Amino acid sequence: MSNPEAQGFKKISEETQSKPAQTNPYGPNPADFLSNVSKFQLIESTLREGEQFSNAFFSTEKKIEIAKALDDFGVDYIELTSPVASEQSRADCEAICKLGLKAKILTHIRCHMDDARVAVETGVDGVDVVIGTSSFLREYSHGKDMTYITNAAVEVIEFVKSHGIEIRFSSEDSFRSDIVDLLNIYKTVDKIGVNRVGIADTVGGANPRQVYDLVRTLKSVVHCDIECHFHNDTGCAIANAYTALEAGAKLIDVSVLGIGERNGITPLGGLMARMIAADREYVLSKYKLHKLRDLENLVAEAVQVNIPFNNPITGFCAFTHKAGIHSKAILANPSTYEILNPSDFGLTRYIHFAHRLTGWNAIKTRVDQLNLHLSDTQVKEVTAKIKKLADIRQLNIDDVDSIIKDYHADVQTPVVAPVADTKVDSLDISEEPETKKQKTA
Amino acid sequence: MSNPEAQGFKKISEETQSKPAQTNPYGPNPADFLSNVSKFQLIESTLREGEQFSNAFFSTEKKIEIAKALDDFGVDYIELTSPVASEQSRADCEAICKLGLKAKILTHIRCHMDDARVAVETGVDGVDVVIGTSSFLREYSHGKDMTYITNAAVEVIEFVKSHGIEIRFSSEDSFRSDIVDLLNIYKTVDKIGVNRVGIADTVGGANPRQVYDLVRTLKSVVHCDIECHFHNDTGCAIANAYTALEAGAKLIDVSVLGIGERNGITPLGGLMARMIAADREYVLSKYKLHKLRDLENLVAEAVQVNIPFNNPITGFCAFTHKAGIHSKAILANPSTYEILNPSDFGLTRYIHFAHRLTGWNAIKTRVDQLNLHLSDTQVKEVTAKIKKLADIRQLNIDDVDSIIKDYHADVQTPVVAPVADTKVDSLDISEEPETKKQKTA
């Protein structure tokens, strides 16, 4: 995977970088008059939800390093593990509050006065309160009824507010909760002045249109902001986040690479890909996208995972084009097969041309890069040779370059007797026999 | 990552496997009267779109092995690279057609008679025709206008039909195509009798509600089936596929692990996760889900990638629960924090308990597994000890077991003088000092 150049990819020159389309068919839907697609905020939860990822063990130093990197990237809020989870969790929370970051610091607690009393003493800018409202969680987790939940919520919220910091109230497993129970409790907490209410797809089963409906309904009940938290068990966490914003939610919970319980939540990078396709200007004005790759590498290393091969934006092949028909159009205008511009992320696109699906347009560009001159007919001929060898075995860029150079030498030079001690520039002699065999095959 | 048991995870016994909920809030929306969520089909494209993945080079033998595995899994169609891509591509296509698989074999060609003539001679059950209809592709790829495209389509379709095999007509980059152009050409090809029309989000920029609208509109124009193809550049390929089915599309293009151009398309496994949450009975009746992991490993090895850590279903932590509050409820009823049942996929869930977020319910279960007897108060006490050590360093299962066994020995056994040559069973002596230190800390 190492160096793409070595594997038969080529870097595209700056001149062919994407030109923006006249109109954006992927922009905010004008019919969504409550949409926050162009004014969303991020609650970054790598240091809370992410700590619930199977492999996560963050030292204090690592937490501080990650918090600083998130702040530098531009996230609006940083959410931390509950200070009652362990002694060190509390100490780390206090330490991060003292860093003086631009991002607001939140901590995430159960809907319980014991937790709230500890939380408000840590120096956080806000407290995120959560309680299970589904029949599943009411039966198998805390065993409380809705009256108890409401009373507990009111007590905790008023206590936190009395300390002059932000407060969010969220249900857990919202999509399997009774809608009347949900709206009742959200309406109650909205009235006593929470800063935002949260919807959580705790089991990761919600689908986009279901999300849209619930957020729209909730939006008609409360005046405060709506925050959403989506798990990714069924692969919809990014789409659900986007659809929630369309419906009027304002804040999305994310974590770097999506790390969290099970296979995690909406990933920061994936959501950036989604949002920049909708409103490039807003995203570029708020977030340092060119730092995404470093941020992902930092967290991946801390929790000992690899960046997934198919990760949005930073996956090794996210901007690699292969089929001949794709390469041809990308060379003419990258927007033909790209909705994202790699340079927005400090990355580069590659055309992969050393394979049997390659086309003569990709090879022609390579011929130009090698500073050789062949007619279109000649390029088509050498492309046929490349495809023939690529049918037999995997090729790398050196193989292709040798075939091209050899062919070029052949068609340009009149046949003369070889002169002793003359070397052909830029041609690896060791590869000649293979290329020769190819030519006579 | 190796063995989860060794890292402080525990396997949950069969008795606590998920009990299905009475109703399914994630099932098909009854308002979607055209929905195919409960009768969708799969067009598996690992051997076409997947061959366009950067790392893919499939030998004939590997293609046959993958085709057989896909057929065994139960996919409805297998799509192969165009026979005009290369000599070997044609030979491989013919070879796979001769295997006598249950799945129908398709090949994917440009909308061109040269390609169609070769395709119909390979022995395929159907031909998938595609042409770029967006202004981008019309300008930078093939350079043809809509009249030319329509005429070419009609000629190719009638030719393929005359050979008595299935034919699909798809636009490319459908979401950036003029809606009037699109509906016109779909209406025309529907009238002359295509088996299905295809919508393709070639650049991966579409969002779910946009997909729903286009499919619903198209559904009112054509009588044939609708197939959808979604790239994953902005992370919505699974959600878009689901939403397309809700709107009335019938067939979804997938590939194993989603491999394809750039970061790929809707992944087979991820779509299975999505669909089983909606209609478990239908999915289990059609597809051998317990073979998913082997199928993914086969393809991952062939294209030299790792299964992403956060892959739906088969990611190493997809069924791992960590936070104390989650573990408690999962132990009481797995449905509280799981929308998918791991046993449907031949997999097992794990509770990760060797960390500072652990809770006493998880530890109590471990105590029971070790066949030790402690009161709830005692379990809480030993849990506090475990959390304290977990604040200092990363723990594994042996650390936790040692702490538990040591504590148990301490509270159960009256202090007596040590007897020479007596060994304590199942207790690694080398870990004693640490545990002792912990107890006196």
Side-chain angles (χ1 to χ4, degrees):
Chain A
M1 226 125 294
S2 54
N3 173 18
E5 284 269 354
Q7 291 187 15
F9 300 85
K10 73 183 175 213
K11 205 169 159 182
I12 302 306
S13 61
E14 288 308 308
E15 308 91 80
T16 53
Q17 291 290 315
S18 181
K19 303 156 202 162
Q22 286 299 310
T23 58
N24 179 8
Y26 303 114
N29 184 336
D32 292 330
F33 55 92
L34 300 171
S35 172
N36 282 315
V37 162
S38 293
K39 48 188 182 219
F40 69 94
Q41 296 190 329
L42 294 179
I43 296 187
E44 219 296 338
S45 194
T46 300
L47 297 177
R48 196 282 292 176
E49 178 73 49
E51 206 179 1
Q52 290 173 231
F53 173 58
S54 168
N55 268 22
F57 174 85
F58 297 128
S59 66
T60 306
E61 296 65 39
K62 193 52 75 178
K63 283 186 186 176
I64 289 174
E65 191 183 354
I66 291 170
K68 285 179 173 169
L70 291 172
D71 188 52
D72 183 44
F73 182 82
V75 304
D76 304 273
Y77 291 88
I78 294 174
E79 188 181 63
L80 306 177
T81 292
S82 171
V84 303
S86 73
E87 251 323 280
Q88 195 59 47
S89 300
R90 191 183 51 72
D92 293 344
C93 182
E94 290 170 356
I96 291 170
C97 288
K98 290 198 186 99
L99 294 176
L101 303 179
K102 294 184 298 295
K104 290 185 184 171
I105 309 299
L106 304 171
T107 189
H108 182 262
I109 61 167
R110 292 170 299 182
C111 189
H112 202 293
M113 281 302 290
D114 292 350
D115 292 14
R117 283 191 199 96
V118 179
V120 298
E121 299 300 330
T122 55
V124 291
D125 300 299
V127 175
D128 288 346
V129 170
V130 67
I131 191 161
T133 43
S134 72
S135 57
F136 283 97
L137 291 173
R138 280 156 57 192
E139 181 174 352
Y140 298 105
S141 179
H142 52 68
K144 312 297 188 192
D145 65 15
M146 285 308 294
T147 309
Y148 178 94
I149 292 173
T150 308
N151 290 339
V154 171
E155 187 184 7
V156 168
I157 291 163
E158 292 191 326
F159 174 77
V160 173
K161 272 173 60 78
S162 75
H163 282 76
I165 57 177
E166 289 190 18
I167 175 81
R168 177 213 71 185
F169 172 82
S170 182
S171 62
E172 204 184 349
D173 200 6
S174 315
F175 293 87
R176 294 193 298 184
S177 299
D178 182 283
I179 179 79
V180 180
D181 286 348
L182 268 191
L183 297 180
N184 265 323
I185 195 161
Y186 284 132
K187 191 171 177 178
T188 303
V189 300
D190 182 49
K191 269 194 187 142
I192 62 171
V194 290
N195 297 80
R196 52 190 183 279
V197 290
I199 289 176
D201 179 22
T202 310
V203 296
N207 64 63
R209 289 170 62 245
Q210 193 174 26
V211 168
Y212 189 84
D213 288 348
L214 182 58
V215 174
R216 273 298 282 270
T217 304
L218 179 56
K219 191 81 185 162
S220 71
V221 170
V222 299
H223 296 86
C224 63
D225 287 336
I226 298 174
E227 168 185 345
C228 288
H229 182 88
F230 296 108
H231 276 264
N232 206 21
D233 301 74
T234 61
C236 294
I238 296 169
N240 285 342
Y242 183 78
T243 313
L245 294 174
E246 290 186 302
K250 175 94 174 269
L251 306 104
I252 301 294
D253 291 5
V254 295
S255 69
V256 177
L257 295 169
I259 61 168
E261 286 280 353
R262 306 186 307 283
N263 80 333
I265 63 167
T266 307
L268 171 65
L271 188 64
M272 289 293 99
R274 177 65 258 166
M275 299 318 298
I276 200 173
D279 192 334
R280 182 164 177 269
E281 205 176 321
Y282 178 76
V283 172
L284 290 179
S285 75
K286 275 195 78 174
Y287 304 108
K288 290 188 188 164
L289 298 187
H290 58 284
K291 300 219 168 168
L292 179 64
R293 185 163 53 172
D294 289 346
L295 184 54
E296 289 188 346
N297 286 339
L298 170 66
V299 173
E301 204 170 306
V303 301
Q304 298 171 285
V305 299
N306 295 315
I307 306 291
F309 78 90
N310 53 4
N311 209 43
I313 300 169
T314 56
F316 84 99
C317 53
F319 296 106
T320 298
H321 303 271
K322 186 169 174 185
I325 193 172
H326 284 218
S327 305
K328 174 188 171 188
I330 278 284
L331 289 164
N333 178 356
S335 291
T336 47
Y337 284 103
E338 265 175 13
I339 190 68
L340 307 175
N341 185 341
S343 67
D344 283 345
F345 307 93
L347 302 171
T348 323
R349 81 174 54 81
Y350 288 96
I351 304 284
H352 186 183
F353 58 85
H355 55 84
R356 65 175 156 220
L357 307 179
T358 197
W360 74 273
N361 289 277
I363 300 301
K364 185 175 161 59
T365 306
R366 185 62 188 169
V367 169
D368 293 347
Q369 285 180 338
L370 294 173
N371 230 339
L372 301 177
H373 301 282
L374 293 177
S375 71
D376 285 359
T377 311
Q378 288 172 329
V379 173
K380 285 175 187 173
E381 211 172 286
V382 75
T383 302
K385 288 179 191 293
I386 292 163
K387 286 169 85 85
K388 205 158 190 176
L389 184 58
D391 246 356
I392 299 164
R393 63 172 181 84
Q394 221 158 354
L395 299 185
N396 62 32
I397 201 169
D398 293 331
D399 297 325
V400 173
D401 286 357
S402 292
I403 298 173
I404 293 173
K405 287 173 184 167
D406 200 33
Y407 177 89
H408 181 264
D410 220 34
V411 295
Q412 301 294 322
T413 322
V415 182
V416 290
V419 181
D421 293 318
T422 302
K423 271 192 182 167
V424 183
D425 256 13
S426 320
L427 215 158
D428 186 352
I429 300 300
S430 69
E431 292 191 1
E432 274 200 335
E434 195 154 56
T435 324
K436 287 274 163 55
K437 191 183 73 200
Q438 175 59 18
K439 281 166 65 187
T440 56
Chain B
M1 227 124 293
S2 54
N3 172 20
E5 284 270 351
Q7 292 189 14
F9 300 84
K10 74 187 172 208
K11 204 169 158 179
I12 302 307
S13 62
E14 287 308 307
E15 307 93 79
T16 52
Q17 291 290 315
S18 178
K19 304 156 201 162
Q22 286 298 310
T23 57
N24 178 8
Y26 303 113
N29 185 336
D32 291 330
F33 56 92
L34 300 172
S35 172
N36 282 315
V37 163
S38 294
K39 48 190 183 219
F40 70 93
Q41 297 190 327
L42 294 178
I43 295 186
E44 220 295 338
S45 193
T46 301
L47 298 177
R48 196 283 292 175
E49 178 73 48
E51 206 179 359
Q52 289 174 230
F53 172 59
S54 167
N55 268 23
F57 174 83
F58 297 128
S59 66
T60 306
E61 297 64 41
K62 194 52 77 179
K63 284 185 185 175
I64 289 174
E65 191 183 353
I66 292 170
K68 284 180 173 171
L70 291 171
D71 188 52
D72 183 45
F73 183 82
V75 304
D76 304 273
Y77 292 86
I78 293 173
E79 188 181 62
L80 307 178
T81 292
S82 170
V84 303
S86 73
E87 250 323 279
Q88 195 59 48
S89 300
R90 191 184 50 72
D92 293 345
C93 182
E94 290 171 354
I96 291 170
C97 288
K98 290 200 185 98
L99 294 176
L101 303 178
K102 294 184 297 296
K104 289 185 185 171
I105 309 300
L106 304 171
T107 190
H108 182 264
I109 61 167
R110 291 169 301 181
C111 190
H112 203 293
M113 281 301 290
D114 292 350
D115 292 14
R117 284 191 199 96
V118 179
V120 298
E121 298 300 330
T122 57
V124 291
D125 300 299
V127 174
D128 288 347
V129 170
V130 68
I131 191 159
T133 43
S134 72
S135 56
F136 283 98
L137 291 173
R138 280 157 54 192
E139 181 173 353
Y140 298 104
S141 180
H142 52 69
K144 314 296 187 191
D145 66 15
M146 286 308 293
T147 309
Y148 178 93
I149 292 173
T150 307
N151 290 340
V154 171
E155 188 184 8
V156 168
I157 290 164
E158 293 193 327
F159 174 76
V160 174
K161 271 174 63 75
S162 75
H163 283 75
I165 58 177
E166 290 189 17
I167 175 82
R168 176 211 72 184
F169 172 83
S170 182
S171 62
E172 205 183 347
D173 200 7
S174 315
F175 293 88
R176 294 193 298 185
S177 300
D178 182 281
I179 180 78
V180 180
D181 286 347
L182 268 191
L183 297 180
N184 265 323
I185 195 162
Y186 284 133
K187 192 173 177 179
T188 303
V189 299
D190 182 49
K191 269 195 188 143
I192 62 170
V194 291
N195 296 81
R196 52 190 183 279
V197 291
I199 289 176
D201 180 22
T202 309
V203 296
N207 65 62
R209 290 169 61 245
Q210 194 175 22
V211 169
Y212 189 84
D213 288 348
L214 182 58
V215 174
R216 272 299 282 269
T217 304
L218 179 55
K219 190 80 184 164
S220 72
V221 170
V222 299
H223 296 87
C224 63
D225 288 336
I226 298 173
E227 170 186 344
C228 288
H229 181 89
F230 296 108
H231 276 265
N232 205 22
D233 301 73
T234 61
C236 293
I238 297 170
N240 284 343
Y242 184 78
T243 313
L245 294 175
E246 290 187 301
K250 176 93 175 268
L251 305 104
I252 301 294
D253 290 4
V254 295
S255 68
V256 177
L257 296 169
I259 60 168
E261 285 280 352
R262 305 184 308 281
N263 80 333
I265 62 166
T266 308
L268 171 65
L271 189 63
M272 290 293 98
R274 178 65 260 164
M275 300 316 299
I276 200 173
D279 193 333
R280 183 165 176 269
E281 206 176 320
Y282 178 76
V283 172
L284 290 179
S285 75
K286 276 195 76 175
Y287 304 108
K288 290 189 187 164
L289 298 185
H290 58 285
K291 301 220 167 166
L292 179 64
R293 184 164 52 173
D294 290 345
L295 184 54
E296 289 188 347
N297 286 339
L298 170 67
V299 173
E301 205 170 304
V303 301
Q304 298 170 286
V305 298
N306 295 315
I307 306 291
F309 77 90
N310 54 4
N311 208 43
I313 300 169
T314 55
F316 84 98
C317 53
F319 296 106
T320 298
H321 303 271
K322 186 167 173 184
I325 193 172
H326 283 219
S327 303
K328 173 187 172 189
I330 279 283
L331 289 163
N333 178 356
S335 291
T336 46
Y337 284 104
E338 265 175 14
I339 189 67
L340 306 176
N341 184 340
S343 67
D344 283 345
F345 306 93
L347 303 171
T348 323
R349 83 174 52 80
Y350 288 94
I351 304 287
H352 186 184
F353 58 84
H355 55 85
R356 65 176 157 220
L357 307 179
T358 197
W360 73 275
N361 289 277
I363 300 300
K364 185 175 161 58
T365 307
R366 186 62 188 168
V367 170
D368 294 345
Q369 285 180 337
L370 294 173
N371 230 340
L372 301 177
H373 300 282
L374 293 175
S375 71
D376 284 1
T377 312
Q378 289 171 328
V379 173
K380 286 176 186 172
E381 212 172 284
V382 76
T383 301
K385 287 178 190 294
I386 292 163
K387 284 169 84 84
K388 205 159 190 175
L389 184 58
D391 247 356
I392 299 162
R393 65 172 179 85
Q394 219 157 355
L395 299 185
N396 62 33
I397 201 170
D398 293 331
D399 296 326
V400 172
D401 287 356
S402 293
I403 298 172
I404 292 173
K405 286 173 183 167
D406 201 32
Y407 177 89
H408 181 263
D410 220 35
V411 296
Q412 300 295 321
T413 322
V415 181
V416 290
V419 181
D421 292 321
T422 299
K423 272 194 179 167
V424 183
D425 256 12
S426 321
L427 214 158
D428 185 353
I429 300 300
S430 69
E431 293 192 358
E432 272 199 338
E434 194 153 53
T435 324
K436 284 272 162 58
K437 190 184 72 198
Q438 174 58 18
K439 282 166 62 186
T440 56

